[in-house]
Amino acid sequence: MEKLYYEKPYVKLFETEVAECRPDKDGKYLVRLSRTAFYPEGGGQPADTGTLGDALVTDVRECPEGIVHITDRPIPEKTVVTGTINWERRFSHMQNHSGEHLFSGVVHKHYGYDNIGFHMGKDEVTVDFNGPLTMEQAEEVEAEVNELIWQNIPVLETYPTKEELETLDYRSKKELSGQVRIIEFPGADICACCGTHVMTAGEIGLLKVTGVARYKGGVRVSLLCGRQALLDYSRKLNAVQGISVLLSAKPDSVVEAVTKLKEESLKKDSDLNRLTRQLLEWKTAEYPESDSPLLIIEDQLTPAQLRLFCTMLYEGKKGSIVLVCSGEEGLYQYAAGSSAFDMRALCHLLNERLNGRGGGSTLLAQGTFNASLKEIQKVFQEELYGGQNGIK
Ligand SMILES: [Zn+2]
């Protein structure tokens, strides 16, 4: 099968004859053609999509029998059809693939690392290297790559003989057999490759590193080129402008504005905690000391506040056992505290009767009851006034 995507990587529209069409599973069809411009998945570059006549091409694979196009409907064999490549997607792959070569070439030149993994995703391209790089180092490489892009250096595709190959210093992910295809950016990179590339570096437009993370003893660099880099820029600009409007800060000052907001929020948290503690101290002081069990229902206390209030009450000897509940009908948070009785045992007992969950220490237990206020009051009365021995 003629591979038009190598001879003419800019072919978006082509005529071809259907050599074979057979049904596959899931209602799809497997189509082989006399020639194709559809790139099959390989070398980190995803397959092309597009149409063959009226049929949608959803995937393309290189199989032992040749290049197989996966379509959503059958196409009569021996007919001539027009193939159309989803060009926006393919050109984006070409920009990213060529950009990745330049980036890997410059990393190899300065650090000697190999590219050991390459993946082109929908929103991200990742390149794995077998050595460490900091974000600053990756950005230095990015700057050098962009200079090469703007110098608009050519991209050369060659098929060297075995002898020529032996004298050639080129990057390769694996041992290669058969005819090797070489993609060269003169002065910047030489690499064995099976993907599609732009004709001159300028078409990459720009390359932007979006992240560097440690990966398998080396690093995984995330980057974007050309159209995808521009789309990413637009998304991030929108986000920054949104934050800028919300905080009434200039886009360049949003980090300072968010830092200030966080500091203010921490200060408010600390003020709120101090005031809540004071309020709970005053509430605690209102209860007289007592040897009887004490049940208190409070509005809108957080679990931490429940625990604090309960501790203040039982340590202040306001009850032999103190049960504080907060919540809404049917679901209450609770804290139970006592310095005389085992709260784990009480907790177990109350949980069983009030469809509850939770636990804690002998002094303090916390959890939730799936019960009504009436049920809680009834069980408290029965268990703590009727059968205190059960919890000792
Ligand atoms: Zn490649």
Side-chain angles (χ1 to χ4, degrees):
M1 191 186 306
E2 226 185 306
K3 296 174 177 177
L4 293 169
Y5 49 84
Y6 281 159
E7 293 160 39
K8 299 171 185 136
Y10 289 80
V11 166
K12 310 167 183 78
L13 208 68
F14 65 104
E15 298 240 300
T16 185
E17 197 182 300
V18 178
E20 188 191 14
C21 178
R22 58 192 159 92
D24 192 18
K25 49 189 183 308
D26 308 331
K28 300 265 184 180
Y29 291 84
L30 304 175
V31 178
R32 285 195 304 115
L33 304 169
S34 62
R35 58 182 202 153
T36 187
F38 281 96
Y39 179 77
E41 184 184 352
Q45 183 176 332
D48 286 339
T49 58
T51 54
L52 272 174
D54 295 331
L56 280 180
V57 177
T58 55
D59 197 6
V60 187
R61 292 179 213 138
E62 185 131 37
C63 300
E65 70 266 34
I67 293 164
V68 174
H69 307 71
I70 288 89
T71 64
D72 68 337
R73 65 192 74 176
I75 315 169
E77 291 180 356
K78 307 292 172 230
T79 56
V80 173
V81 288
T82 302
T84 311
I85 307 293
N86 177 345
W87 186 248
E88 191 174 306
R89 174 183 155 95
R90 155 71 92 70
F91 188 64
S92 189
H93 291 161
M94 286 159 66
Q95 288 181 314
N96 277 310
H97 201 153
S98 296
E100 175 269 318
H101 273 227
L102 273 180
F103 192 87
S104 299
V106 174
V107 167
H108 187 74
K109 182 174 89 183
H110 290 305
Y111 300 95
Y113 303 156
D114 296 316
N115 167 334
I116 51 162
F118 172 41
H119 176 74
M120 260 189 228
K122 204 176 145 283
D123 300 309
E124 187 185 56
V125 174
T126 61
V127 194
D128 303 334
F129 293 102
N130 56 358
L133 277 179
T134 62
M135 187 66 185
E136 288 70 31
Q137 288 169 327
E139 281 173 348
E140 279 165 24
V141 174
E142 169 194 296
E144 196 171 327
V145 168
N146 281 310
E147 286 302 327
L148 293 163
I149 290 173
W150 301 327
Q151 283 165 24
N152 202 18
I153 59 173
V155 185
L156 309 176
E157 176 197 27
T158 53
Y159 293 87
T161 62
K162 234 181 140 196
E163 293 71 37
E164 286 169 326
L165 209 56
E166 274 165 19
T167 61
L168 201 64
D169 184 18
Y170 66 99
R171 297 188 299 111
S172 172
K173 278 204 201 71
K174 53 189 177 196
E175 276 306 312
L176 299 163
S177 57
Q179 179 62 64
V180 175
R181 177 172 174 265
I182 293 288
I183 296 295
E184 179 180 1
F185 289 84
D189 186 48
I190 305 177
C191 184
C193 179
C194 60
T196 56
H197 288 269
V198 295
M199 273 173 72
T200 58
E203 292 173 69
I204 299 167
L206 83 120
L207 178 144
K208 185 78 197 92
V209 172
T210 57
V212 176
R214 265 189 266 184
Y215 183 74
K216 288 184 178 171
V219 284
R220 169 164 285 183
V221 176
S222 302
L223 54 85
L224 290 171
C225 296
R227 187 198 306 275
Q228 274 196 306
L230 180 66
L231 290 175
D232 186 56
Y233 182 87
S234 298
R235 277 195 299 270
K236 284 172 181 160
L237 186 66
N238 277 339
V240 169
Q241 280 174 335
I243 298 168
S244 154
V245 169
L246 285 172
L247 300 184
S248 305
K250 286 190 181 131
D252 284 345
S253 315
V254 291
V255 173
E256 287 88 339
V258 171
T259 307
K260 200 172 144 222
L261 196 70
K262 269 192 91 172
E263 282 166 6
E264 283 169 5
S265 168
L266 282 174
K267 164 101 181 31
K268 277 180 190 157
D269 283 350
S270 138
D271 287 349
L272 190 65
N273 280 340
R274 188 170 45 77
L275 292 171
T276 306
R277 174 174 274 274
Q278 219 165 59
L279 180 72
L280 294 178
E281 274 167 5
W282 287 342
K283 276 182 183 276
T284 303
E286 280 181 5
Y287 290 92
E289 285 193 18
S290 163
D291 292 332
S292 306
L294 176 67
L295 171 64
I296 297 175
I297 310 297
E298 275 288 332
D299 273 345
Q300 296 185 346
L301 289 189
T302 65
Q305 290 165 347
L306 268 179
R307 194 165 58 237
L308 179 67
F309 192 26
C310 184
T311 306
M312 285 175 176
L313 288 161
Y314 86 76
E315 283 183 349
K317 300 187 170 42
K318 310 295 179 167
S320 56
I321 289 171
V322 178
L323 179 65
V324 190
C325 299
S326 183
E328 52 196 64
E329 199 56 11
L331 181 67
Y332 283 89
Q333 303 270 349
Y334 73 83
S338 171
S339 41
F341 298 94
D342 182 358
M343 288 303 98
R344 274 186 302 208
L346 176 70
C347 180
H348 188 72
L349 192 81
L350 294 181
N351 284 346
E352 258 184 14
R353 291 204 56 189
L354 292 166
N355 193 17
R357 301 178 59 166
S361 70
T362 50
L363 290 173
L364 189 80
Q366 250 189 304
T368 51
F369 296 139
N370 283 290
S372 69
L373 181 56
K374 262 208 168 112
E375 287 167 325
I376 295 171
Q377 285 166 330
K378 180 170 175 280
V379 168
F380 185 79
Q381 200 68 27
E382 285 173 9
E383 293 297 335
L384 299 185
Y385 284 90
Q388 261 188 29
N389 289 338
I391 54 142
K392 226 166 184 175

